[in-house]
Amino acid sequence: MNQTIYPIGIQNFESLRKDGYLYIDKTALIHQMATTGRYYFLSRPRRFGKSLLLSTLEAYFQGKKELFEGLAMEKLEKDWKEYPILHFDLNISQYDSPDSLYKILNDILSRYEDEYGTRPSEVTLPLRFAGIIDRAYRKTGQRAVILIDEYDKPLLQNLHDEETQNRFRNMLKPFYGVLKTMDRAIRFALLTGVTKFGKVSVFSDLNNLMDLSMDNRYVEICGITEKEIHAYLEDEVKVLADTQMTTYEETYLKLKKRYDGYHFTAKSEGIYNPFSLLNTFAKMEFGDYWFETGTPSYLVELLKHTHYDLYEMANTETDADVLNSIDSASNNPIPVIYQSGYLTIKGYDPRFGIYKLGFPNLEVEEGFVKYLLPFYTSINTAKTPFEIGRFVQEVESGNYDAFFRRLQSFFADTSYEAIIGRNPERDTELHYRNVLFIVFKLVGLYTQVEYHTSNGRIDLVLQTNQYIYIMEFKLNGTAEEALRQIEEKGYALPFAADERQVIKIGANFSSETRNIERWLVEPMR
């Protein structure tokens, strides 16, 4: 029986080390960070180890040498000192009222004022923060260490509430700005979060932070690398293979397909999701552990609010300025989706500085697209696996009429209000495209799908063991036109020598009825 204790949900470095939990040694990078700079920012998806990183830094700056026994830090650090630590965790509150942010900051500051004192003139949050830093320095003789966890949670929870966003932003800007004005009394500062709000947001008064989010030197600071799996978890992979009754190679490839694939820079190797990976080894069972712990409802609302074309999301190209900063006034959801971990870097063109984005792995792709379905159709969450299963069964058995009737029902039961925004013609077409995208993506997880889009037209090739479906959809055209386009553009030619049955299907979608109106089928052989 595996005796390893996995640090699932353990975010305190001291308890992790004292209680014998597995720790994948990141202390060489931590030492490098602490000794080569002073002000840092790091953006990583949730449950990637940001809180544990801050806790490890806290133990280091508290001079707790005994906790680092056997780790890289033990040999690297020669001069252990104790510094005053000011640790702000903004993840412990829900920011659903105008004064919720003030309450949490006031509570944290009050606790440090009990330790370091206060002055009557310090009546604002920034003045109190600055006073605490100054007195901590004077009292201990050592400059303060500032650690701020999930700095962006108040803003992220209110993406669509402009008034609350402005209130919180105006509160946080001068508060974080203290880090710059009190430079003489600060030894080290690190802010972490899921996203980076830039431009007119909280960082405009704090331009002395070194952003590590897309820094090749610190790509491995959170998450688990392939090298670390072999160094720390090799036996676990073998046990998992035995448990799953597969080979070591098959198990390793499945782990890689499901949990690897995060790229935080253009040149980095893939990073595994640590939460899903460790849960898999703890339970010796594959699962959607990361996705199931936090539904991305704010992302779906953002996609619908901006009337975003999901085909664009799956084939996005953008530059570093967009990826690395979120403008809260922007209607572009891609930076939030990328920084939240639902998209990652898949390619890079150095000539133009353009990044290509895509889903990092199967867990995220399957979980996110399944989660989208009830928001764009009338299908409820509980029925999603059933509906997709029926789609796949119908495709695999050659029952294309049942497939299209089921697809019709997705559109027929969707309310008019769920489709139409400010531009009825555009939004009807967009809704039809988005539903098709979701269905084909989900069916494609269990079959093979290739599709290409241009100018609002969709070409789809769906492959199973017995059939190859070539589908063309026309908006406000005819099924005959769609079928003719398949022939004229030679979509079937690449499969001329294939032994499977090729089925060509042309369908038309009516913006008036907001549904698939008719489909024609031409079996080739």
Side-chain angles (χ1 to χ4, degrees):
M1 183 176 177
N2 189 2
Q3 297 300 312
T4 304
I5 310 175
Y6 300 97
I8 298 167
I10 307 299
Q11 300 176 345
N12 182 272
F13 178 73
E14 182 169 355
S15 67
L16 181 149
R17 294 291 288 167
K18 286 183 175 180
D19 295 341
Y21 285 90
L22 171 72
Y23 178 68
I24 294 176
D25 192 356
K26 304 288 186 179
T27 60
L29 283 176
I30 290 172
H31 184 267
Q32 177 180 311
M33 183 194 304
T35 56
T36 60
R38 288 173 60 190
Y39 296 95
Y40 295 103
F41 169 78
L42 177 67
S43 166
R44 283 293 184 269
R46 61 184 175 81
R47 294 192 176 272
F48 252 74
K50 299 187 297 295
S51 296
L52 179 59
L53 170 63
L54 288 175
S55 180
T56 309
L57 280 161
E58 183 170 8
Y60 166 69
F61 281 115
Q62 287 174 333
K64 295 183 177 181
K65 181 179 179 179
E66 70 281 2
L67 297 179
F68 295 87
E69 183 179 346
L71 302 179
M73 183 72 81
E74 183 182 30
K75 296 179 179 178
L76 292 170
E77 183 57 54
K78 307 300 181 186
D79 185 20
W80 292 87
K81 291 182 180 179
E82 183 177 359
Y83 297 87
I85 311 288
L86 304 179
H87 194 156
F88 294 77
D89 184 359
L90 300 191
N91 197 40
I92 64 174
S93 179
Q94 290 294 319
Y95 300 93
D96 51 7
S97 63
D99 62 346
S100 54
L101 177 57
Y102 176 84
K103 286 180 178 178
I104 186 68
L105 292 177
N106 176 63
D107 179 69
I108 297 172
L109 291 176
S110 295
R111 285 190 281 110
Y112 287 123
E113 285 169 338
D114 289 342
E115 184 174 357
Y116 297 111
T118 185
R119 295 173 59 194
S121 60
E122 294 169 358
V123 294
T124 67
L125 294 176
L127 284 175
R128 292 169 64 190
F129 189 20
I132 291 169
I133 294 172
D134 180 63
R135 285 185 293 277
Y137 178 32
R138 294 176 185 275
K139 181 178 179 179
T140 65
Q142 299 290 346
R143 288 173 294 166
V145 170
I146 317 293
L147 304 173
I148 301 178
D149 199 5
E150 304 292 357
Y151 91 97
D152 57 341
K153 189 172 182 180
L155 301 173
L156 202 54
Q157 286 190 348
N158 294 275
L159 274 177
H160 308 303
D161 187 339
E162 189 173 346
E163 182 179 347
T164 302
Q165 276 263 333
N166 288 333
R167 179 182 291 109
F168 286 169
R169 185 167 56 245
N170 292 336
M171 187 180 299
L172 290 173
K173 278 177 65 177
F175 186 80
Y176 292 143
V178 170
L179 298 181
K180 186 175 182 180
T181 60
M182 292 302 295
D183 178 67
R184 63 177 177 79
I186 296 175
R187 163 64 180 86
F188 180 90
L190 173 62
L191 285 76
T192 68
V194 171
T195 56
K196 181 178 179 181
F197 286 84
K199 295 184 180 178
V200 298
S201 195
V202 296
F203 286 141
S204 57
D205 290 343
L206 188 58
N207 54 15
N208 59 333
L209 288 177
M210 180 180 291
D211 187 358
L212 305 181
S213 307
M214 297 182 72
D215 190 322
N216 277 307
R217 298 172 300 168
Y218 294 97
V219 165
E220 301 176 8
I221 195 73
C222 291
I224 297 176
T225 66
E226 190 167 313
K227 180 175 63 177
E228 289 167 337
I229 290 180
H230 292 304
Y232 294 92
L233 298 162
E234 187 79 3
D235 290 341
E236 278 80 351
V237 179
K238 295 175 182 176
V239 174
L240 180 63
D242 291 341
T243 304
Q244 298 290 312
M245 292 183 289
T246 59
T247 67
Y248 171 88
E249 291 75 16
E250 290 171 331
T251 302
Y252 182 77
L253 287 174
K254 188 171 181 179
L255 286 168
K256 191 174 185 66
K257 186 177 181 181
R258 289 201 68 84
Y259 308 130
D260 189 15
Y262 288 91
H263 299 270
F264 301 110
T265 73
K267 301 176 183 178
S268 72
E269 295 183 6
I271 301 292
Y272 284 77
N273 185 315
F275 187 79
S276 288
L277 195 64
L278 294 178
N279 267 283
T280 299
F281 290 137
K283 300 178 182 179
M284 285 296 153
E285 190 69 48
F286 289 94
D288 298 328
Y289 300 109
W290 180 77
F291 197 90
E292 290 172 351
T293 58
T295 53
S297 56
Y298 68 93
L299 296 180
V300 178
E301 291 303 322
L302 184 61
L303 288 169
K304 296 194 73 174
H305 178 75
T306 57
H307 299 287
Y308 197 78
D309 188 335
L310 297 180
Y311 277 93
E312 295 297 325
M313 180 185 70
N315 300 277
T316 294
E317 293 185 342
T318 188
D319 61 21
D321 288 341
V322 173
L323 289 186
N324 209 26
S325 181
I326 294 173
D327 178 1
S328 57
S330 173
N331 282 326
N332 184 1
I334 290 303
V336 183
I337 297 172
Y338 164 75
Q339 293 181 22
S340 298
Y342 297 93
L343 292 176
T344 195
I345 297 169
K346 289 293 188 179
Y348 179 67
D349 185 339
R351 182 182 178 189
F352 301 105
I354 298 299
Y355 292 88
K356 183 178 181 180
L357 305 183
F359 294 109
N361 51 48
L362 184 59
E363 178 189 12
V364 175
E365 180 177 10
E366 183 175 15
F368 191 53
V369 181
K370 277 184 178 178
Y371 189 74
L372 288 175
L373 187 62
F375 287 87
Y376 285 86
T377 70
S378 62
I379 304 301
N380 64 45
T381 304
K383 288 187 176 181
T384 295
F386 170 80
E387 292 292 341
I388 297 306
R390 293 298 298 271
F391 267 127
V392 173
Q393 290 167 4
E394 289 156 1
V395 168
E396 289 179 337
S397 65
N399 192 354
Y400 43 77
D401 282 331
F403 177 92
F404 271 86
R405 285 194 295 270
R406 188 173 304 279
L407 197 55
Q408 273 185 322
S409 71
F410 274 39
F411 291 106
D413 293 337
T414 306
S415 69
Y416 183 77
E417 291 76 14
I419 299 174
I420 300 303
R422 296 181 180 179
N423 188 328
E425 183 176 349
R426 182 205 65 186
D427 294 337
T428 299
E429 178 181 356
L430 181 62
H431 182 76
Y432 128 81
R433 284 169 55 81
N434 283 343
V435 171
L436 291 179
F437 168 83
I438 294 168
V439 170
F440 294 150
K441 263 290 184 185
L442 288 173
V443 171
L445 291 170
Y446 307 97
T447 57
Q448 288 181 273
V449 167
E450 299 173 46
Y451 52 79
H452 310 281
T453 66
S454 61
N455 300 323
R457 293 188 297 272
I458 299 174
D459 308 326
L460 175 75
V461 177
L462 187 62
Q463 303 180 56
T464 70
N465 291 333
Q466 292 180 276
Y467 304 99
I468 299 173
Y469 297 90
I470 300 171
M471 303 183 194
E472 177 67 25
F473 292 81
K474 283 289 185 184
L475 178 66
N476 294 328
T478 66
E480 286 83 0
E481 290 173 344
L483 202 57
R484 188 162 57 247
Q485 182 170 321
I486 293 174
E487 190 64 36
E488 291 175 351
K489 294 201 173 185
Y491 293 155
L493 290 178
F495 307 100
D498 201 294
E499 295 181 355
R500 291 171 291 181
Q501 183 178 358
V502 178
I503 301 172
K504 297 185 288 186
I505 303 176
N508 70 300
F509 186 94
S510 168
S511 60
E512 183 177 345
T513 62
R514 301 188 302 282
N515 209 326
I516 295 173
E517 204 166 49
R518 185 165 170 257
W519 59 91
L520 287 176
V521 181
E522 181 186 323
M524 287 183 62
R525 57 178 184 271

